[in-house]
C-alpha cells in the first residue's frame, strides 16, 4: 500500500474458517471473516480459492496486502462448525479446535515479528483468547526478552468472555509464608522429615492442597541424573492450585477457598531421612519411610490439617507418581476420589476446558498393601511394584476422613512435548483451567 508508514505495517489479524460439511460445500468464514471479505470486495475469498486445498483444523495460511489496517492476515482452520461434545474424546471439540487454531495463527504473526495482533472470536471469545494467551506464552524470565506482542479481540465481540479467557489462561501465583516454627507447632512430623535434608526453610500456605517439592533429588535414594532437571517442577501441584485460586479471586467468585501448599526440597545430606525411618504424622499415625516417596509424606500432614477448616470439599493436585504417566501419558489427569458427585463436577469442567481428567480406582484392595507394615501403622509405598499410582493414594486416604475428597495426580500432564498444539514445549501449568472451571461451577451451585 502506497503512503503507509512503517508504523502502519505492524498489525496482524487472525481469522477463522470452517471445514466443509459436505464435499460440494464451500468452506465458510466466521462472521468476522465474512465481514472483512465484504469490506475488501471479496479479495479474501478470491485469494483463498487460488492458494491451495481447503484448510484442515489447526492449519494456517498467511495472506499479505489485502487490507491497509492488516498487512498480514492469517486464516486458521477451525474444523467443522457443527462440532460439539465428543463423547469418545471427552471434550468440547469446537472449543478445542478454536484454541489450537488461534494459537497457531498467533504464532504465525509472532514469527513475522509484528508487535500486535487482533483475533477473531471464532464463535467463542473465551476459547479464542485462551488459545492466544497459551499459544504465545513461553517462560523466558531468565532469557533476553523478545519483543512482546499485544493481543486484542477483533471487532465488537463478547468482551466479557474474552476477559474470562484472559483469566483462565494466565493465572498468577499467590504466596503467604508459614515459617518452620509454625509447622513444628502443628506437630507436622511427616512434612518436616522430608524438609530436614535441605538447608532451605520449609513453608506452608493456605489454599487447596498442593504438593510443593521445589526440587526432588530423590533424597538418599537419589534419582538418575538424566531428566532430573525436570524435578524442579515437582511443585507443580502447588503452583496449579495457587493459579486457580488467584483466577477465582479475579473472577470475583462468591466463595471462600482454603487449602495448603507445603513447600520444601527433598535433598540428600547427613540429616536426610533414611530408608526404614519411622515418622509420626499430625493425626498420630506412624509412617515407615521410603525416601523417594516424599510427596505423600508432606501431603499427609497437609491433608490432616485442612480438616480443621471444615471445608465442603477437599481437592489436592500433585505430581505424585511417574506411573500415572505410564498409565495415562499427557492425555488426562488421573483423578482418585471417594465422591461420585465430586468426580462428575470435575469431569464436566474438563469437557469445557479440553484439559481432561480420568477416574482411577480407590479400592480397599490397595489400602491393604500400605497398612500391612512391619514397623509402623502405614508404609508410604505399596508392598508390591504394581499399581503404584493407586497405592500412593491409598496411603493418602489414611489421612482423610472427609466424604468429598479428590486427589489429582498431574505428573503425566506436567510437561508438554508436542501433544497439545496450543502449548509450548516444557512445563504446562495443567490442569489449572479445569480447576478454575470447577470453582466457577461450584460457586454457581452454592449461590
Amino acid at each position: 500500500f502506497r503512503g503507509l508508514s512503517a508504523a502502519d505495517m505492524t498489525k496482524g489479524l487472525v481469522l477463522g474458517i470452517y471445514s466443509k460439511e459436505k464435499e460440494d460445500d464451500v468452506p465458510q468464514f466466521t462472521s468476522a471473516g465474512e465481514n472483512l471479505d465484504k469490506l475488501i470486495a471479496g479479495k479474501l475469498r478470491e485469494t483463498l480459492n487460488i492458494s491451495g486445498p481447503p484448510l484442515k483444523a489447526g492449519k494456517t495460511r498467511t495472506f499479505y496486502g489485502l487490507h491497509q489496517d492488516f498487512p498480514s492476515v492469517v486464516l486458521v482452520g477451525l474444523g467443522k462448525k457443527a462440532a460439539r461434545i465428543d463423547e469418545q474424546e471427552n471434550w468440547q471439540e469446537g472449543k478445542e479446535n478454536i484454541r489450537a487454531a488461534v494459537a497457531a495463527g498467533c504464532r504465525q504473526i509472532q514469527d513475522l515479528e509484528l508487535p500486535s495482533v487482533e483475533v477473531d472470536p471464532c464463535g467463542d471469545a473465551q476459547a479464542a483468547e485462551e488459545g492466544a494467551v497459551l499459544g504465545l506464552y513461553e517462560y523466558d524470565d531468565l532469557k533476553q526478552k523478545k519483543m512482546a506482542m499485544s493481543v486484542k479481540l477483533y471487532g465488537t465481540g463478547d468482551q466479557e468472555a474474552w476477559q474470562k479467557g484472559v483469566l483462565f489462561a494466565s493465572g498468577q501465583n499467590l504466596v503467604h509464608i508459614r515459617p518452620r516454627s509454625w509447622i513444628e507447632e502443628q506437630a507436622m512430623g511427616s512434612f518436616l522429615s522430608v524438609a530436614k535434608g535441605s538447608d532451605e526453610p520449609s513453608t506452608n500456605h493456605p489454599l487447596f492442597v498442593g504438593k510443593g517439592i521445589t526440587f526432588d533429588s530423590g533424597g538418599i535414594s537419589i534419582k538418575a541424573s538424566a531428566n532430573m532437571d525436570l524435578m524442579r517442577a515437582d511443585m507443580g501441584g502447588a503452583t496449579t492450585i495457587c493459579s486457580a485460586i488467584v483466577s477465582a479471586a479475579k473472577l470475583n467468585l462468591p466463595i471462600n477457598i482454603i487449602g495448603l501448599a507445603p513447600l520444601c526440597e527433598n535433598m540428600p545430606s547427613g540429616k536426610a531421612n533414611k530408608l526404614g525411618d519411622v515418622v509420626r504424622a499430625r493425626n498420630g499415625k506412624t509412617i515407615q519411610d521410603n525416601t523417594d516417596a516424599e510427596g505423600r509424606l508432606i501431603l499427609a500432614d497437609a491433608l490432616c490439617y485442612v480438616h480443621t477448616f471444615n471445608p465442603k470439599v477437599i481437592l489436592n493436585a500433585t505430581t505424585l507418581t511417574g506411573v500415572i504417566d505410564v498409565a495415562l501419558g499427557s492425555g488426562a489427569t488421573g483423578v482418585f476420589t471417594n465422591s461420585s458427585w465430586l468426580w462428575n463436577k470435575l469431569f464436566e469442567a474438563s469437557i469445557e476446558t479440553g484439559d481432561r481428567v480420568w477416574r482411577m480406582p480407590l479400592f480397599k484392595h490397595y489400602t491393604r498393601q500400605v497398612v500391612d507394615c512391619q514397623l509402623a501403622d502405614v508404609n508410604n509405598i505399596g508392598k508390591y511394584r504394581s499399581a503404584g499410582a493407586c497405592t500412593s493414594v491409598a496411603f493418602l486416604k489414611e489421612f482423610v476422613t472427609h466424604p468429598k475428597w479428590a486427589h489429582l495426580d498431574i505428573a503425566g500432564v506436567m510437561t508438554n512435548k508436542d501433544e497439545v498444539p496450543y502449548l509450548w514445549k516444557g512445563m504446562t501449568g495443567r490442569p489449572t483451567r479445569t480447576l478454575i472451571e470447577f470453582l466457577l461451577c461450584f460457586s454457581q451451585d452454592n449461590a
Side-chain angles (χ1 to χ4, degrees):
F1 296 97
R2 292 182 179 178
L4 285 180
S5 67
D8 295 322
M9 304 289 285
T10 57
K11 192 187 301 183
L13 176 63
V14 174
L15 293 173
I17 186 169
Y18 298 105
S19 300
K20 295 189 291 186
E21 296 292 333
K22 299 177 182 177
E23 188 61 34
D24 296 333
D25 288 348
V26 175
Q28 183 182 347
F29 291 126
T30 61
S31 58
E34 291 286 359
N35 290 338
L36 182 75
D37 193 43
K38 290 177 183 177
L39 194 63
I40 57 177
K43 289 181 182 177
L44 182 60
R45 175 70 67 181
E46 180 183 329
T47 309
L48 175 66
N49 288 342
I50 61 174
S51 68
L55 275 174
K56 295 181 180 179
K59 300 300 182 181
T60 66
R61 198 162 295 159
T62 306
F63 303 113
Y64 303 97
L66 292 178
H67 191 282
Q68 62 180 11
D69 291 340
F70 303 102
S72 301
V73 176
V74 179
L75 275 184
V76 296
L78 299 174
K80 292 187 177 181
K81 188 175 184 179
R84 295 291 184 268
I85 293 175
D86 186 325
E87 294 185 356
Q88 294 297 314
E89 290 294 325
N90 290 338
W91 61 23
Q92 223 286 9
E93 185 179 8
K95 290 177 181 286
E96 196 67 2
N97 286 348
I98 291 169
R99 293 183 189 107
V102 169
C106 287
R107 287 172 181 169
Q108 284 287 100
I109 298 295
Q110 187 180 50
D111 288 345
L112 295 172
E113 298 185 349
L114 299 180
S116 66
V117 62
E118 294 192 17
V119 175
D120 178 356
C122 300
D124 190 321
Q126 179 180 342
E129 174 61 344
E130 287 175 7
V133 172
L134 294 170
L136 292 172
Y137 176 78
E138 183 178 19
Y139 180 76
D140 61 358
D141 284 5
L142 303 179
K143 296 181 179 180
Q144 290 185 343
K145 296 293 184 288
K146 299 177 183 177
M147 179 182 66
M149 187 171 75
S150 66
V151 182
K152 290 174 56 179
L153 178 64
Y154 175 65
T156 56
D158 189 343
Q159 287 289 343
E160 183 177 349
W162 179 263
Q163 290 304 317
K164 189 175 174 183
V166 174
L167 293 175
F168 267 61
S170 58
Q172 298 295 314
N173 288 338
L174 178 67
V175 179
H176 296 288
I177 303 300
R178 291 287 195 184
R180 174 183 284 265
S181 59
W182 181 87
I183 299 167
E184 290 170 344
E185 288 171 6
Q186 295 299 317
M188 294 184 174
S190 181
F191 174 22
L192 285 169
S193 73
V194 178
K196 69 184 182 183
S198 171
D199 288 330
E200 294 293 330
S202 314
T203 57
N204 211 342
H205 159 50
L207 269 127
F208 283 160
V209 182
K211 172 184 169 184
I213 299 293
T214 55
F215 187 79
D216 181 16
S217 70
I220 66 167
S221 303
I222 197 161
K223 297 177 183 290
S225 60
N227 297 321
M228 194 199 284
D229 64 310
L230 294 178
M231 290 299 98
R232 59 198 162 83
D234 210 21
M235 46 59 174
T239 56
T240 296
I241 61 171
C242 287
S243 296
I245 297 276
V246 172
S247 298
K250 290 181 178 179
L251 287 166
N252 295 317
L253 300 186
I255 51 176
N256 293 322
I257 309 167
I258 301 171
L260 300 168
L263 305 174
C264 66
E265 293 177 325
N266 184 27
M267 299 293 286
S269 79
K271 298 181 290 183
N273 276 358
K274 299 177 291 296
L275 293 170
D277 277 358
V278 175
V279 297
R280 188 178 299 276
R282 190 177 190 275
N283 66 349
K285 287 188 178 182
T286 54
I287 304 165
Q288 185 173 335
D289 180 31
N290 175 292
T291 66
D292 195 22
E294 82 300 326
R296 60 203 74 175
L297 287 181
I298 69 171
L299 285 169
D301 278 332
L303 287 168
C304 289
Y305 183 66
V306 79
H307 286 72
T308 65
F309 294 98
N310 193 28
K312 290 187 177 180
V313 299
I314 298 174
L315 191 151
N316 62 269
T318 73
T319 49
L320 197 64
T321 64
V323 287
I324 199 69
D325 185 30
V326 176
L328 300 176
S330 60
T333 293
V335 175
F336 301 77
T337 180
N338 59 4
S339 166
S340 292
W341 173 88
L342 186 51
W343 159 249
N344 287 331
K345 293 297 182 183
L346 288 166
F347 181 65
E348 290 164 6
S350 76
I351 289 174
E352 284 296 305
T353 64
D355 201 348
R356 296 171 291 192
V357 296
W358 191 255
R359 192 170 189 177
M360 302 291 287
L362 193 59
F363 302 148
K364 291 181 180 178
H365 172 88
Y366 304 115
T367 300
R368 288 193 287 271
Q369 295 184 38
V370 296
V371 298
D372 184 5
C373 180
Q374 181 180 9
L375 299 178
D377 296 321
V378 63
N379 202 322
N380 70 335
I381 59 171
K383 287 174 64 177
Y384 312 112
R385 185 178 181 185
S386 55
C390 300
T391 55
S392 69
V393 186
F395 168 82
L396 293 179
K397 192 171 182 288
E398 292 298 298
F399 305 91
V400 175
T401 59
H402 200 286
K404 291 180 180 178
W405 165 61
H407 165 81
L408 279 65
D409 194 335
I410 66 173
V413 301
M414 176 180 74
T415 60
N416 188 54
K417 302 177 189 70
D418 55 12
E419 305 96 323
V420 182
Y422 51 84
L423 297 177
W424 283 98
K425 293 179 182 180
M427 306 308 167
T428 63
R430 295 173 62 191
T432 300
R433 289 181 298 113
T434 294
L435 293 179
I436 299 169
E437 182 68 27
F438 166 78
L439 289 172
L440 178 62
C441 295
F442 183 84
S443 69
Q444 293 168 345
D445 291 344
N446 288 272

